[in-house]
DNA sequence: CACCAGGTCTCTC
DNA sequence: GAGAGACATGGT
């Protein structure tokens, strides 16, 4: 992958390791929607327009630097894929999701979003987050920002229920208040397991959600979020289905060493697409 | 009407 | 620690 910056545009000229569909459809991001020639993608209080042509991708935004980091453009995914190809049964998943990248997203946004994601489905997660932004996000003109912690911490449980959060409403109230009260989001000096334990002090954050936050908000590559799909991926890799999800997550984290997060994304996309009979392409067209 | 969706919490043993 | 049940909501 190679890119250049021209004014308000990032132009990606070699797209082997950058496929918008792979990136957006592997479950790491909820705030985007399809437009004619690409996508609109929102993060924090910013947004970009992504347009794909035959052999290049153009990203238009008022904050080029933010989205260079957001899309993880300075990382060599060729090397990552090469490394993971050294593992059995990884060739197909990597080929299938060859253009996946792990985004660098806002931590608070990840925390709130993945609390909502628990025991929920992706279309509904998206719509709840959209209602959340519409109700509380700063008006940015043609779109609404993700609400700040200060605003979120002011809401009642009834409000979160009113946007469809269901029983997670209480988790959101509690966590927003803890964040507002100075809960430390800096995990740079913590090991992976320490960071995970730290985040799990927040209401609504268990093993899986903590891994999602560490992977998508902190780019911690030893995190391997394990849900039903990764459970199936575990069976695909090892032929063993008798461990608990937590044990599977730990084993995968150790097995792929510092690359578990990347491996997880290729596997998630691969297994989910392959066993999806209804193949919901609702987003497309 | 059941079952499921990127699980977590709480209460048991 | 591991296991069982409750938990909102909307789709199939």
């Amino acid at each position: 992958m190679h890119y250049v910056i021209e004014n308000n545009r990032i132009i990606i000229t070699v797209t082997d390791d950058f496929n918008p569909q792979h990136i957006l459809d592997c479950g790491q991001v909820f705030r985007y929607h399809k437009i004619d020639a690409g996508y609109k993608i929102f993060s924090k209080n910013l947004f970009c327009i992504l347009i794909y042509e035959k052999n290049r991708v153009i990203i238009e935004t008022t904050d080029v630097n933010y989205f260079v980091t957001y899309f993880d453009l300075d990382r060599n995914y060729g090397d990552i894929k090469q490394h993971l190809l050294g593992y059995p049964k990884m060739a197909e998943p990597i080929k299938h999701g060859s253009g996946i990248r792990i985004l660098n997203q806002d931590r608070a946004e990840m925390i709130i979003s993945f609390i909502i994601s628990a025991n929920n489905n992706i279309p509904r997660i998206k719509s709840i987050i959209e209602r959340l932004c519409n109700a509380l996000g700063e008006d940015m003109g043609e779109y609404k920002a993700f609400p700040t912690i200060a605003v979120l911490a002011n809401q009642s449980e009834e409000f979160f229920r009113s946007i469809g959060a269901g029983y997670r409403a209480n988790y959101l109230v509690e966590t927003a208040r803890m964040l507002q009260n100075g809960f430390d989001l800096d995990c740079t000096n913590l090991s992976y397991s320490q960071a995970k334990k730290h985040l799990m002090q927040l209401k609504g954050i268990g093993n899986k959600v903590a891994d999602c936050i560490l992977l998508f908000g902190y780019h911690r590559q030893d995190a391997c979020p394990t849900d039903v799909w990764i459970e199936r991926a575990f069976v695909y890799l090892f032929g063993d289905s008798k461990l608990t999800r937590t044990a599977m997550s730990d084993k995968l984290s150790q097995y792929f060493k510092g690359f578990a997060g990347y491996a997880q994304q290729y596997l998630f996309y691969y297994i989910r697409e392959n066993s999806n009979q209804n193949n919901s392409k609702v987003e497309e067209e």
Side-chain angles (χ1 to χ4, degrees):
Chain A
M1 197 219 68
H2 183 256
Y3 73 93
V4 294
I5 291 170
E6 290 178 5
N7 300 320
N8 287 348
R9 310 164 99 198
I10 305 165
I11 301 171
I12 298 168
T13 50
V14 181
T15 54
D16 296 349
D17 305 326
F18 191 109
N19 181 314
Q21 276 178 282
H22 294 176
I23 292 168
L24 297 171
D25 201 27
C26 59
Q28 60 180 323
V29 52
F30 302 112
R31 284 210 298 150
Y32 66 91
H33 54 79
K34 189 97 183 68
I35 56 173
D36 285 348
Y39 296 92
K40 277 190 178 180
I41 303 165
F42 305 87
S43 177
K44 211 172 169 180
N45 58 347
L46 300 168
F47 91 109
C48 70
I49 295 175
L50 187 155
I51 294 163
Y52 47 91
E53 301 174 348
K54 276 171 194 160
N55 290 312
R56 63 178 198 169
V57 173
I58 298 169
I59 297 166
E60 282 187 25
T61 170
T62 55
D63 198 329
V64 166
N65 289 333
Y66 181 86
F67 282 100
V68 166
T69 302
Y70 177 87
F71 286 108
D72 208 27
L73 294 186
D74 289 326
R75 197 180 308 273
N76 188 333
Y77 278 73
D79 289 349
I80 292 166
K81 287 187 278 189
Q82 196 58 43
H83 175 81
L84 288 175
L85 282 172
Y87 289 83
K89 297 194 174 181
M90 287 302 289
E92 275 300 311
I94 289 169
K95 184 181 169 191
H96 190 70
S98 61
I100 284 173
R101 308 183 78 79
I102 296 187
L103 303 175
N104 293 292
Q105 301 184 72
D106 181 70
R107 289 167 183 180
E109 182 170 339
M110 289 299 94
I111 288 171
I112 300 300
S113 298
F114 277 97
I115 287 174
I116 293 169
S117 83
N119 197 24
N120 212 340
N121 60 63
I122 291 179
R124 214 169 80 83
I125 297 164
K126 282 182 181 164
S127 65
I128 293 168
I129 293 173
E130 190 175 349
R131 287 193 287 274
L132 181 66
C133 294
N134 285 338
L136 301 180
E138 182 184 353
D139 189 351
M140 306 302 288
E142 46 183 323
Y143 66 98
K144 296 288 180 62
F146 195 87
T148 62
I149 291 302
V151 170
L152 289 168
N154 256 338
Q155 306 308 313
S156 64
E157 192 172 322
E158 287 68 41
F159 165 77
F160 290 111
R161 282 183 187 276
S162 77
I163 60 168
Y167 66 89
R168 306 165 197 83
N170 177 50
Y171 304 159
L172 293 168
V173 167
E174 294 291 324
T175 292
R177 283 180 190 163
M178 286 178 78
L179 295 181
Q180 176 68 7
N181 289 338
F183 185 90
D184 191 2
L185 287 183
D186 183 11
C187 294
T188 45
N189 291 324
L190 301 180
S191 70
Y192 162 60
S193 59
Q194 286 172 332
K196 195 161 162 177
K197 275 180 193 162
H198 180 62
L199 289 176
M200 284 171 66
Q201 292 177 97
L202 296 168
K203 254 307 181 43
I205 300 185
N207 196 281
K208 150 73 169 51
V209 169
D211 276 333
C212 287
I213 295 164
L214 285 171
L215 184 56
F216 306 131
Y218 291 79
H219 217 91
R220 294 290 286 254
Q221 288 307 315
D222 20 22
C224 188
T226 302
D227 59 7
V228 280
W229 302 107
I230 299 302
E231 207 172 87
R232 288 164 199 170
F234 191 92
V235 178
Y236 164 77
L237 288 178
F238 304 117
D240 180 3
S241 62
K242 288 180 181 162
L243 298 179
T244 65
R245 274 192 198 176
T246 308
M248 288 183 179
S249 173
D250 289 344
K251 180 165 178 182
L252 288 167
S253 177
Q254 289 159 23
Y255 178 70
F256 287 110
K257 302 191 173 72
F259 292 79
Y262 299 112
Q264 193 269 5
Q265 288 301 93
Y266 294 117
L267 287 166
F268 178 89
Y269 189 67
Y270 176 67
I271 300 286
R272 183 160 161 267
E273 290 279 303
N274 269 6
S275 55
N276 221 356
Q277 311 93 320
N278 56 344
N279 218 347
S280 56
K281 288 290 177 190
V282 189
E283 300 298 318
E284 320 302 327
E285 315 304 292

